[in-house]
Amino acid sequence: MSMLLAHGGAAAAEAGGQIFGLALFGAIALGLLAYAVLFIAALISIVASPHGMGMKVVWIVFAFIAPFIGSVLWFALGRRDAFRTA
């Protein structure tokens, strides 16, 4: 009887670990998708901005060198500056 209980407990622990693994995978996949969408949206926004070609190249290079920080800085600073000077 105790052997049966030990086996049942191990199966429950394995199922819990499997659920945790799937949840972790889902969270990582969702984070990567959000990161990719942010990066692509920043590139599209940079190209469509009223900045001159030289400034667009600078922002695009910065976005490729530091994708997350470059994208966030574009939306926080560069985009606002582009429409202020236009």
Side-chain angles (χ1 to χ4, degrees), residues 21-49:
L22 287 173
L24 182 62
F25 175 76
I28 290 172
L30 187 62
L32 288 174
L33 179 65
Y35 174 71
V37 167
L38 174 70
F39 180 68
I40 292 169
L43 289 179
I44 291 170
S45 179
I46 292 167
V47 171
S49 75

Side-chain angles (χ1 to χ4, degrees), residues 22-80:
L22 287 173
L24 182 62
F25 175 76
I28 290 172
L30 187 62
L32 288 174
L33 179 65
Y35 174 71
V37 167
L38 174 70
F39 180 68
I40 292 169
L43 289 179
I44 291 170
S45 179
I46 292 167
V47 171
S49 75
H51 274 305
M53 185 56 76
M55 200 61 186
K56 286 181 185 182
V57 169
V58 168
W59 275 107
I60 289 172
V61 167
F62 186 58
F64 272 104
I65 290 174
F68 181 74
I69 293 175
S71 300
V72 169
L73 286 177
W74 165 254
F75 285 115
L77 304 172
R79 189 166 185 246
R80 180 178 46 187

